[in-house]
Amino acid sequence: MSTRADRADTRVHPAWGMLALVLLGLLTAQGTRIAFGAFVPAWRDGLHAELGTISLIGMVSYLVYGLTQPLVGSMAGRFGARAVLASGVFIAGAGLLLASTASSVPMLLALYGVVATLGFSAASGVTAGLVVRHWFTARRGLAFGLVESGFGAGQFVFTPLSLLLIDLYGWRHTLVVEGALLLVVVGPIVALLLRSTPAQVGAEPYGGPDPEDAAPQEPAGKRGAGQWGQVLRSPLMWGLVAPFFVCGVTTTGLMDTHLVSIAHDHGASTAVTGAATGLLAAANVLGTVVSGPLSDRYSCARILAVLYGVRALVLILLALFPYGVWLVLISIAFGLVDFATVAPTHLIATRHFPADRIGLVFGLLSMAHQVGSSLGSYVPGLVHDLTGSYVPTLLGCAAALLIAMIGCLAALPARTTGAVQSVPVAP
């Protein structure tokens, strides 16, 4: 007969419930953000604008998102992930509702590119990463992978859904539906149920207490004054930032913004385009989830090198065969190596930077990714307006990915398994 202690031991640890709430917030908030590409043709026709002009909205959005990520990381560390994540969901929902009233490109740029994006920035992987950091001391790679799968799952749900709703009801009504979902449903759930740390519910992290949390910390004022310089002087920080910048150019920048337009350029129907984007997102979820446990077990640097190398090959194939069944197969292949880079990148940072700097490190990494995304969103549209083709952009991005692959092997620690090792930084 089982005892009460035995039954207690079989209960699901609350860390997994917190992870589920974070996933809900990311899936919906980031899913609506990543669906930006689905709106590009509709905005282009409805607002009578050039592709390059609409791409400028994406560029501004990614810049606002990226440049605010270090601030988001600092605020989440100071006020707690729940407050920042829930506020982000509310602001994003309100921004989408306001954007549905836009009658011009400048108005849409302000309401979507700035207001809604400030919400997306707060409801981001930086905030979610801090939840993982506090709630998990074991299986962090898996937890990071599951968190990032929220982006892919959101893409899987919201990009095809947005395409369908736009086709049936128009882009304005689509923004109203998605904004209301965030503002009325998801925001209240996250605000009421999420907890930033285990201590808030009298629990320990999954895997037991983290020794770093018990270590003495510098006073907040002194810590904040010196953190930026210490992190930015770390060679490892730049070894992580550079390939993650290229990652942003080629994923949320290029593919998430322009894949729909690439498909339309080659005569793909809405059904084929929806299948390509939906299957890319489904493969993205699979690749992201698998990359987490692999990062727990194998060299994160080598995993990143493989991911960037395969992504380069996929973009070359897309430049050669951007149509029909090939478009769908290439989209699936890209999805497998899409957000899979995030878990090994974050795991290297978690293992090599002190706990009191992780929020800033995550924020700087996300900023680099989003600045890359802004260029990957805007420049391909501009090049397309000048040349009538996406081929130069696809081949240029493939070359950048090959450089990132070599950089990962040269600049990142080859072995990142085992005990946490802090990166030495100058005081």
Side-chain angles (χ1 to χ4, degrees):
M1 179 180 295
S2 62
T3 66
R4 179 179 297 180
D6 293 332
R7 291 193 298 271
D9 289 340
T10 65
R11 290 182 301 179
V12 176
H13 194 281
W16 298 107
M18 299 303 111
L19 189 62
L21 289 168
V22 167
L23 280 171
L24 174 65
L26 290 182
L27 187 152
T28 51
Q30 296 301 321
T32 55
R33 181 179 77 92
I34 294 171
F36 174 87
F39 290 87
V40 168
W43 286 338
R44 183 180 178 184
D45 295 338
L47 299 176
H48 309 291
E50 295 292 331
L51 179 59
T53 303
I54 297 299
S55 297
L56 182 63
I57 298 173
M59 179 179 181
V60 170
S61 176
Y62 287 125
L63 280 175
V64 170
Y65 188 103
L67 294 176
T68 55
Q69 286 292 273
L71 176 62
V72 166
S74 297
M75 290 178 63
R78 181 175 180 181
F79 300 109
R82 177 177 67 166
V84 176
L85 182 59
S87 297
V89 174
F90 283 125
I91 294 170
L96 292 180
L97 290 175
L98 291 171
S100 70
T101 68
S103 57
S104 65
V105 171
M107 190 174 178
L108 185 63
L109 187 149
L111 296 175
Y112 182 96
V114 178
V115 176
T117 300
L118 288 173
F120 295 143
S121 178
S124 68
V126 170
T127 314
L130 286 179
V131 174
V132 171
R133 166 65 183 78
H134 289 302
W135 276 95
F136 289 85
T137 57
R139 307 190 76 180
R140 272 185 182 159
L142 174 62
F144 277 129
L146 289 172
V147 162
E148 290 307 315
S149 75
F151 289 81
Q155 184 182 31
F156 177 72
V157 173
F158 282 96
T159 299
L161 178 63
S162 296
L163 284 168
L164 178 62
L165 292 177
I166 291 168
D167 195 40
L168 293 175
Y169 305 110
W171 65 268
R172 296 184 188 276
H173 288 92
T174 302
L175 287 178
V176 169
V177 170
E178 295 176 355
L181 174 65
L182 295 176
L183 194 62
V184 179
V185 180
V186 179
I189 291 175
V190 172
L192 290 173
L193 299 180
L194 183 63
R195 295 295 180 268
S196 301
T197 65
Q200 293 177 346
V201 293
E204 289 187 348
Y206 180 83
D210 192 330
E212 283 196 63
D213 290 336
Q217 303 290 337
E218 296 178 280
K222 183 179 179 181
R223 187 168 66 240
Q227 271 189 340
W228 281 78
Q230 292 171 344
V231 169
L232 291 176
R233 284 194 294 270
S234 166
L236 177 60
M237 186 72 234
W238 293 102
L240 291 169
V241 161
F244 216 47
F245 170 84
V246 176
C247 180
V249 171
T250 54
T251 54
T252 47
L254 173 63
M255 291 294 280
D256 290 346
T257 303
H258 293 281
L259 179 59
V260 173
S261 296
I262 291 171
H264 285 181
D265 270 6
H266 295 275
S269 65
T270 299
V272 171
T273 304
T277 56
L279 290 172
L280 184 153
N284 194 358
V285 174
L286 176 61
T288 303
V289 171
V290 170
S291 75
L294 289 178
S295 300
D296 279 328
R297 185 170 182 181
Y298 300 108
S299 166
C300 292
R302 292 170 184 168
I303 291 172
L304 287 170
V306 170
L307 292 172
Y308 288 129
V310 172
R311 194 186 294 176
L313 176 61
V314 171
L315 291 186
I316 293 171
L317 291 174
L318 181 59
L320 296 174
F321 308 108
Y323 41 75
V325 175
W326 278 106
L327 176 67
V328 176
L329 294 176
I330 289 168
S331 297
I332 294 171
F334 189 90
L336 291 172
V337 296
D338 194 348
F339 293 166
T341 58
V342 178
T345 300
H346 278 190
L347 203 54
I348 291 174
T350 301
R351 285 170 170 165
H352 289 82
F353 286 95
D356 61 343
R357 295 172 194 160
I358 287 298
L360 176 59
V361 169
F362 284 175
L364 290 170
L365 284 170
S366 185
M367 180 177 73
H369 193 277
Q370 294 306 310
V371 171
S373 297
S374 72
L375 293 176
S377 172
Y378 177 64
V379 173
L382 188 62
V383 172
H384 185 276
D385 285 344
L386 294 173
T387 66
S389 173
Y390 279 104
V391 171
T393 298
L394 291 169
L395 295 180
C397 286
L401 285 164
L402 291 174
I403 295 172
M405 176 188 72
I406 295 170
C408 288
L409 294 174
L412 299 181
R415 299 184 64 84
T416 54
T417 57
V420 173
Q421 298 177 352
S422 296
V423 173
V425 290

